[in-house]
């Protein structure tokens, strides 16, 4: 029997998106005017990178993963319709996300309205992703276990990587690797082209410092989170 796809990296991306939107919303909630010259600038830089990552994630889902599942699993149509509708709402939120984060750090913009605007966008995205990712993890990703072999899924994944946007990689590569456990970091690095490995090595320290500067002293409640991978790989078909 063919092995089932290794979906751990995909689930891990969703977990980091979930955690990151929670801690970003909390960071905005805690923001004070005197942090505008330091922490809020880091938070704005981080927010711009995260917007790019999330936009790229949804682009490859819409262009590559979802159409393939739709053609292979007709019964998934309703789930995919709902997920695609969510992506449109996310796109609208991301259209404001980077600017309101920049305004929050900008001393020329009145602080109270800037904070209110940033908080509305941050909590809106957090709450939407919370339910969106639950649906993807529960109703979509397991379809790859049931309807794809490991090599079929890997081919789809390779297509997504090849067709991906090459902008913003100094954020998206270390972000993606930071989402993974040590075992998958090593596996992904081993099969990545040399330029990707070099970029990861070159950017991961700076990325870690950016996250540290943006989220120092930001604590979020993660006690309700389900396991990263919700169920063991079941036999396919
Ligand atoms: Fe997703
Ligand atoms: Fe999605």
């Amino acid at each position: 029997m063919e092995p089932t796809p290794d979906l751990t990296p995909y689930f891990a991306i969703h977990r980091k998106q979930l955690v990151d939107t929670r801690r970003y919303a909390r960071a905005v909630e805690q923001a004070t005017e005197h942090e505008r010259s330091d922490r809020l600038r880091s938070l704005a830089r981080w927010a711009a990178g995260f917007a790019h990552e999330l936009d790229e994630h949804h682009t490859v889902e819409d262009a590559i993963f979802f159409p393939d599942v739709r053609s292979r699993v007709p019964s998934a149509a309703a789930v995919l319709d709902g997920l695609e509708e969510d992506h449109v709402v996310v796109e609208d939120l991301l259209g404001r996300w980077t600017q309101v984060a920049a305004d929050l750090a900008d001393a020329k913009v009145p602080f109270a309205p800037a904070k209110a605007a940033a908080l509305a966008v941050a909590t809106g995205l957090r709450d939407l992703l919370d339910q969106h990712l639950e649906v993807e993890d529960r109703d979509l990703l397991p379809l790859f276990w049931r309807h794809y072999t490991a090599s079929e899924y890997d081919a789809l994944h390779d297509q997504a990587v090849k067709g991906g946007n090459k902008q913003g990689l100094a954020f998206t590569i270390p972000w993606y690797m930071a989402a993974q456990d040590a075992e998958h970091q090593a596996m992904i690095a081993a099969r990545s082209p040399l330029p990707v490995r070099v970029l990861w090595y070159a950017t991961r320290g700076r990325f870690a410092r950016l996250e540290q500067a943006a989220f120092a002293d930001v604590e979020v409640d993660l006690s309700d989170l389900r396991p990263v991978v919700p169920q063991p790989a079941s036999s396919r078909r």
Side-chain angles (χ1 to χ4, degrees), residues 10 14 17 57-58 61 66 87 132-133 136 141:
Y10 202 153
H14 285 171
Q17 289 173 344
H57 181 78
H58 287 175
E61 285 184 337
F66 289 7
H87 285 182
H132 179 80
L133 296 172
E136 287 193 350
L141 269 60

Side-chain angles (χ1 to χ4, degrees), residues 5-7 10 56-57 59-73 80 140-141 143-145 147-164 176 191:
D6 179 6
L7 297 175
Y10 202 153
E56 179 63 14
H57 181 78
T59 298
V60 297
E61 285 184 337
D62 287 336
I64 295 168
F65 288 102
F66 289 7
D68 204 89
V69 172
R70 196 181 280 280
S71 66
R72 203 178 275 235
V73 192
L80 290 166
L140 174 71
L141 269 60
L143 297 177
F144 293 112
W145 281 328
H147 297 276
Y148 290 69
T149 63
S151 56
E152 286 168 344
Y153 174 78
D154 289 346
L156 208 56
H157 180 266
D158 289 348
Q159 202 185 329
V161 171
K162 282 201 188 83
Y176 174 79
R191 67 168 186 252

Side-chain angles (χ1 to χ4, degrees), residues 49 52-54 56 165 167-177:
H52 188 80
E53 186 285 327
L54 189 58
E56 179 63 14
N165 191 340
Q167 304 290 313
L169 293 179
F171 185 95
T172 53
I173 287 180
W175 183 95
Y176 174 79
M177 292 298 261

Side-chain angles (χ1 to χ4, degrees), residues 34 58 79 103-104 106 132 178 210 221:
H34 77 268
H58 287 175
V79 168
D103 287 350
L104 188 62
D106 186 348
H132 179 80
L210 177 63
D221 182 8

